[in-house]
Each structure stands twice: as structure tokens, then as C-alpha cells.
Amino acid sequence: MSTSIGIDIGGTKVSGGVLDEDGRILVRTRRDTPDRSNAPRVVEDTIVEVIEELLVQADVEGVERPATVGVGAAGFVAADRSTVVFAPHLSWRNEPLREALGKRLDLPISIDNDANAALWAEHRFGAARGASHAVMITLGTGIGGAILVGGHLVRGRYGIAGEFGHMQVVPGGQRCECGNRGCWEQYSSGNALVREARGLAMANSPMATDLLAHVGGDPASLTGPMITEAARHGDATATELLAEIGHWLGVGIANLAAAIDPEVFVIGGGVSAAGDLLLGPARDTFARQLPGRGYRPAATIVAARFGPDAGLIGAAALGAEEQM
């Protein structure tokens, strides 16, 4: 059975795996994403290190040597699926990533947006399997998105379709790294969750007392996974913060339903690990704000089957299929 490498590049981590034809991860590794103050070459070095480590692991564990590499990149990937036009959380600006990696690796390279890769994984093997019209929303450092119509990924004329995180939902709202204000990802993402928790803590709100106790009183040490874990254990403030993120998620989904009309919304990314603490409020808000509610079929909102692995699984599948 042939194998392929999938790489998922996010705002905080570069994760990779060697996968078989059924989307199963056979070996895996990860690195921290270099800070965006670093030159593009530093990010490229990290990707190459991950791929080289995977090749060594595959040899050691007796896994068939991968024949292709698929990369899912957190950013605007041009229609040529070669260039990262812009990455808000990385230093890439018109970065010829496929060419750069191709010069250093003796394998065919495929590049796509990370959310496109995640949706393809869910369509091929997971929560959107069998759906002809689906939307993927990835909640991580920011918000990524992807669209499936008629069983095909919709990338747009310039390759940048699905950047839902930068839809404006609050005019004049929070400043976004993309340069605008009030973008959706400023209200429903990992960054938004942490910002709100730290804001409460730095304001000396008694609501943050229990959260601060988990991090020795240091607001800067509050993280999204820690807040989610506190909510799972019944912390009222953590639960409220996740519900607020979920509310804004539902607002955006209702807007997307009006524009795209899919049969299913698949929610992935690291923040989706909160499960119904996040998706419950999202479904409630979606039901209240869906245009024509009560008189039209409503899309379902489901958690991604593969969670944070969806990007690398889909990237591997897209890379292998591109070479067929």
C-alpha cells in the first residue's frame, strides 16, 4: 500500500505524518511554528526538518517510503497551488513555497490552504463523507474555512475562497492581524478565547480568580487548552467564555448558510476540542439567526472527526491524488 506525507502548518505548530491510502497516520511528528518575526526561510527549514524526520521514522518502523508530500498552509494560497500570497500569522508574503521546498526535497510537492486540506480529509474519510455540499470551519489561532460544492473544493478565481475568518461581523471592532477591524476570527477563535480570559484576569475580575489559580496568578500563562479543561471541570467563567466564542461561531455560520447553503458545517481546529461546550451555543445561535428559519432545511453542525489531524490527513490525500 502506497504512503504519503502530510504537513499541516498553523500559527503555533507544524505537524506532520506519514499516511496510508485510507487516511491512517502511521508515524507522526511536530515542531513549534517559528515566530512570524523570523524570515520565511526559517519556516521552510522547519518544514524540511519535519519531512526529513518522518522519512527516517518511516524507514526505522518499516513503513513504505512515502511517494509524495502534501502541505496545508495557514494562509492565502494562490490558484497555482504553489505560492502563499499572504499568511497573517506567518512571515510569508508571495512566498513561492512549492518551488522552495522542491529544491530541497526529492519528492513531488503539493501545496494547498490548510482548511481546504482539512475539509478534504473530512469529505474523503470523516464527518462530511457522502456530503456533496459542505463547509469546513477551522478554529485555531484564527479561523480558516473551506467550501465543497458538488463534491469538489471551491478555491475561487485567485485561490483565496474560504477565508471566512476575515468576514466583518462587528463594524469598527477588534483590530485584526489582516489589517481590518471586526473580523470574525477576533470573536470566535483560540486567540479570542485567550484574549478575553486574560482581559478578565488583568482587570482583577473576581470571575477570573479560579482560572488564575491554575497558572499561579500569571494572566500571560492562560492558554486555550487550559481554559477548555477548566470548563470541562465545571469552571463557570471558562464555560461562559467558551459559550461566548460559540455564540459568535453561530453568528458566522448563519451568515455562511445564507450565502452557500451547504448540508453540513464541519467544525475543526484546536478550539473544537471543547466539543458541545462550544458547539451547543453555536447551534443555538445558528437556529435563532438562520435566515428563513422554520421554512427551510437547516444544515447540521458537527465536530470534525479528525480534530487537529484533519489538515495533515487531507494534505497527504491531496498530494497523493495530484500525482495520479
Side-chain angles (χ1 to χ4, degrees):
M1 180 177 288
S2 64
T3 65
S4 55
I5 288 176
I7 302 294
D8 183 27
I9 307 164
T12 58
K13 71 180 187 308
V14 177
S15 58
V18 177
L19 294 92
D20 66 16
E21 294 171 348
D22 295 321
R24 291 187 292 254
I25 301 173
L26 306 176
V27 297
R28 65 163 74 228
T29 191
R30 61 167 287 172
R31 296 279 194 285
D32 291 338
T33 303
D35 185 87
R36 65 182 168 190
S37 63
N38 288 287
R41 174 75 181 204
V42 178
V43 183
E44 179 191 316
D45 289 343
T46 303
I47 298 168
V48 171
E49 288 172 9
V50 167
I51 293 170
E52 290 176 341
E53 181 178 334
L54 289 169
L55 291 171
V56 170
Q57 286 186 26
D59 287 341
V60 169
E61 298 188 24
V63 173
E64 182 176 342
R65 186 174 177 83
T68 59
V69 175
V71 177
F76 299 177
V77 178
D80 63 5
R81 294 180 62 197
S82 175
T83 304
V84 182
V85 177
F86 176 71
H89 306 290
L90 297 167
S91 57
W92 289 332
R93 305 293 182 266
N94 289 310
E95 180 66 19
L97 185 60
R98 184 163 65 182
E99 178 184 355
L101 293 176
K103 291 177 178 177
R104 301 177 63 178
L105 298 164
D106 187 25
L107 286 169
I109 308 291
S110 169
I111 307 291
D112 212 324
N113 172 266
D114 60 341
N116 285 343
L119 177 53
W120 196 246
E122 297 295 339
H123 172 60
R124 283 287 312 280
F125 312 113
R129 192 169 188 174
S132 62
H133 293 65
V135 168
M136 181 88 191
I137 298 167
T138 58
L139 302 178
T141 306
I143 294 180
I147 306 164
L148 186 82
V149 173
H152 300 283
L153 288 171
V154 176
R155 296 184 174 89
R157 172 61 182 85
Y158 303 105
I160 305 174
E163 289 296 337
F164 309 135
H166 301 290
M167 301 186 305
Q168 187 185 69
V169 296
V170 179
Q174 293 280 345
R175 175 71 74 181
C176 181
E177 290 161 309
C178 77
N180 293 328
R181 287 186 179 274
C183 291
W184 189 23
E185 70 175 42
Q186 293 303 312
Y187 299 89
S188 187
S189 67
N191 275 356
L193 178 64
V194 172
R195 182 192 67 229
E196 293 302 305
R198 290 177 179 174
L200 276 174
M202 289 188 289
N204 294 316
S205 170
M207 291 179 63
T209 300
D210 289 342
L211 283 177
L212 278 172
H214 290 290
V215 290
D218 178 16
S221 296
L222 287 168
T223 66
M226 190 278 289
I227 297 165
T228 298
E229 188 63 19
R232 287 199 188 102
H233 285 88
D235 184 279
T237 297
T239 301
E240 181 179 326
L241 289 170
L242 278 168
E244 184 173 354
I245 297 299
H247 162 76
W248 283 109
L249 177 60
V251 169
I253 290 174
N255 290 338
L256 290 172
I260 301 171
D261 191 30
E263 59 197 277
V264 60
F265 286 93
V266 182
I267 314 302
V271 182
S272 69
D276 282 344
L277 289 165
L278 174 80
L279 297 187
R283 292 182 182 116
D284 291 343
T285 299
F286 174 69
R288 291 194 303 271
Q289 299 205 3
L290 177 66
R293 53 196 172 275
Y295 297 95
R296 58 174 287 180
T300 57
I301 301 172
V302 300
R305 174 179 172 185
F306 299 113
D309 287 333
L312 71 91
I313 293 170
L318 286 167
E321 291 166 20
E322 189 173 296
Q323 298 304 314
M324 289 180 177

